[in-house]
Amino acid sequence: MKNNIFYITSESVLCGHPDKVCDFIADNILDAFLKEDEYSRVAVEVMASNNKIYITGQITTNAKNVNIEEVTRNAIKQIGYDNIKSGLDYKTCEIIIDIIKQSKDIQGKVDGGGAGDQGIMFGFACNETNQYMPYGVMLANKLAERIDQLRKKEFLHYLKPDGKTQVTIEYKNNKVNRIDTIIISVQHDSKIRLTELKEDILKYVILPIIDMNLFDENTKVYINPIGKFEIGGTIGDTGLTGRKIIVDTYGGYARHGGGAFSGKDPSKVDRSASYMLRYIAKNIVANSLADKCELQVAYEIGMEKPISFFIETFGTEKISINKIYEIVKNNFDLKPNNIIEELQLRKPIYAKTSNYGHFGKENMSWENIIQI
């Protein structure tokens, strides 16, 4: 890399992106069951297409009063899809539900404290931002959230729920040097002129959020680069749970084990262990043990203890790696039941994780900083 300059691009999506609609529905269903039975086993997948919602998966629970169709329509309403012309209508969409119970072969082992699946999970933290997250994905998420806020407040009344943001950051000597590119594509009604939309997005979305010290005359900004974006939602694209796993985590800056989060109760280590690894990595960086930290853990289905655990600090460690391993071992327990208890993951908290990333948010247990 010439002069040690490189570029990393991260994206985010608005809450009305079809994939995120599915994630939000799945996590609202999960929360509804956890409210009534905190030991509910939920693994829900959702697909959305052409004003139809298909919900499938496995649920084992003692909850008796959860109306999945009602929960689904309320979730779609919260997003703002209230007219088929916008791409989805919570009032008229067809909802197909095909749910069975969790396999008894799995249930027995999980009841005994074992992992709900095999697989690998990653956690990450760095000191680029106050949230200990990579700068690019944090900015992409903030831009997406800002657009949704302005739409829901009807400040930019012509906006519709679908859209994406993308940010490219230039790094120099492994430090954030400048914002190279910002791309925003947002759904809108037919009455707004594109020139007005572009002016508004720049004025009310981009400029209030970005660090102007990182924005220069060479920063490129593209707003609705294809032109009009009137057709969106489930009319413009098919949605599916778990298709935005990089948006949900670290924006491509760190590795990912492949497991999605939304619709899964905390016995599924895809979700709970990823949260725990974020918690550990953040505390390693926040306690100045390293400037950057990536963790990997692997589980075998039905087993309590991880089969492997790995720490990578990319040469930024302030003490020996062996000492960091020792600190982690003395302060954190990676058995699935302990993760659930320590991070209080049986609570109905998951709908608010669905959008703008699962990490870097306030008031989430896995974002707490402790002294280690």
Side-chain angles (χ1 to χ4, degrees):
M1 290 174 286
K2 188 177 180 180
N3 298 322
N4 199 19
I5 293 176
F6 60 93
Y7 300 83
I8 294 180
T9 299
S10 299
E11 72 162 352
S12 187
V13 294
L14 308 192
C15 67
H17 184 284
D19 292 335
K20 273 296 151 199
V21 171
C22 294
D23 286 344
F24 191 60
I25 291 171
D27 274 337
N28 271 275
I29 292 170
L30 170 61
D31 282 352
F33 280 99
L34 291 177
K35 284 177 185 176
E36 192 171 337
D37 175 10
E38 65 179 17
Y39 292 94
S40 294
R41 296 283 164 70
V42 179
V44 169
E45 303 291 348
V46 180
M47 185 175 76
S49 180
N50 196 24
N51 210 38
K52 295 183 179 69
I53 306 295
Y54 184 79
I55 302 166
T56 188
Q58 300 81 40
I59 299 176
T60 299
T61 182
N62 291 318
K64 305 296 184 184
N65 301 306
V66 177
N67 185 323
I68 292 177
E69 179 176 338
E70 182 180 345
V71 171
T72 299
R73 294 193 189 279
N74 285 337
I76 297 168
K77 183 179 180 181
Q78 286 181 59
I79 292 168
Y81 277 122
D82 57 4
N83 190 309
I84 188 58
K85 292 182 179 179
S86 66
L88 183 62
D89 186 350
Y90 78 92
K91 303 182 297 295
T92 65
C93 64
E94 181 181 355
I95 298 176
I96 303 160
I97 300 171
D98 182 14
I99 298 290
I100 61 175
K101 290 187 176 182
Q102 184 182 53
S103 163
K104 290 184 178 180
D105 293 342
I106 297 174
Q107 184 178 349
K109 288 293 186 180
V110 175
D111 288 344
D117 202 350
Q118 69 181 51
I120 58 173
M121 300 88 210
F122 286 91
F124 181 80
C126 62
N127 59 9
E128 289 182 11
T129 63
N130 292 334
Q131 298 83 8
Y132 297 95
M133 288 286 287
Y135 186 82
V137 71
M138 284 300 298
L139 180 54
N141 281 327
K142 286 183 178 180
L143 291 170
E145 185 174 18
R146 174 77 172 173
I147 293 168
D148 280 334
Q149 289 173 344
L150 294 177
R151 173 180 59 83
K152 290 181 177 181
K153 291 178 181 177
E154 298 188 349
F155 181 78
L156 299 180
H157 58 87
Y158 54 81
L159 294 181
K160 300 299 180 184
D162 201 354
K164 285 186 172 185
T165 66
Q166 186 170 294
V167 175
T168 301
I169 300 298
E170 179 183 284
Y171 285 80
K172 186 175 183 179
N173 298 322
N174 292 314
K175 302 290 185 182
V176 173
N177 190 45
R178 53 183 290 276
I179 300 169
D180 182 76
T181 309
I182 295 174
I183 305 174
I184 293 178
S185 295
V186 60
Q187 187 188 10
H188 58 86
D189 66 28
S190 60
K191 299 176 183 178
I192 190 68
R193 292 181 295 109
L194 282 176
T195 53
E196 183 179 351
L197 181 148
K198 291 180 179 184
E199 290 171 359
D200 285 349
I201 294 297
L202 179 63
K203 180 177 180 180
Y204 297 114
V205 176
I206 298 174
L207 294 180
I209 287 179
I210 62 170
D211 182 348
M212 292 304 297
N213 293 319
L214 301 175
F215 191 92
D216 60 30
E217 67 276 7
N218 294 317
T219 299
K220 300 175 285 294
V221 176
Y222 302 104
I223 300 169
N224 282 33
I226 66 165
K228 67 178 182 178
F229 181 3
E230 297 174 17
I231 300 172
T234 67
I235 304 301
D237 194 8
T238 299
L240 191 66
T241 42
R243 271 206 307 211
K244 288 291 174 281
I245 57 176
I246 301 304
V247 174
D248 287 343
T249 52
Y250 307 103
Y253 194 100
R255 287 175 286 188
H256 196 292
F261 300 154
S262 290
K264 296 178 180 178
D265 77 81
S267 72
K268 281 71 174 175
V269 284
D270 276 339
R271 185 168 215 164
S272 54
S274 295
Y275 289 176
M276 188 63 168
L277 292 188
R278 163 61 180 174
Y279 180 54
I280 298 171
K282 183 174 181 178
N283 275 282
I284 288 172
V285 176
N287 281 272
S288 300
L289 305 183
D291 293 334
K292 185 188 299 186
C293 181
E294 183 182 76
L295 309 177
Q296 186 205 59
V297 69
Y299 289 91
E300 178 58 57
I301 189 167
M303 303 294 288
E304 276 195 298
K305 293 184 178 181
I307 60 173
S308 69
F309 178 70
F310 177 68
I311 299 175
E312 172 63 78
T313 54
F314 308 95
T316 69
E317 65 274 9
K318 311 302 180 184
I319 59 176
S320 73
I321 290 291
N322 287 340
K323 182 63 176 177
I324 295 176
Y325 271 104
E326 183 181 339
I327 290 171
V328 170
K329 181 180 179 180
N330 291 336
N331 286 275
F332 305 99
D333 186 339
L334 285 163
K335 292 193 290 292
N337 275 352
N338 180 76
I339 292 173
I340 292 169
E341 294 301 324
E342 182 164 350
L343 298 183
Q344 302 175 43
L345 297 181
R346 289 196 177 97
K347 296 181 178 180
I349 56 173
Y350 296 102
K352 58 187 176 183
T353 69
S354 304
N355 293 295
Y356 326 119
H358 290 241
F359 306 125
K361 293 179 174 178
E362 296 181 355
N363 302 319
M364 295 297 184
S365 59
W366 52 91
E367 297 296 327
N368 290 340
I369 297 174
I370 62 174
Q371 186 173 354
I372 59 175

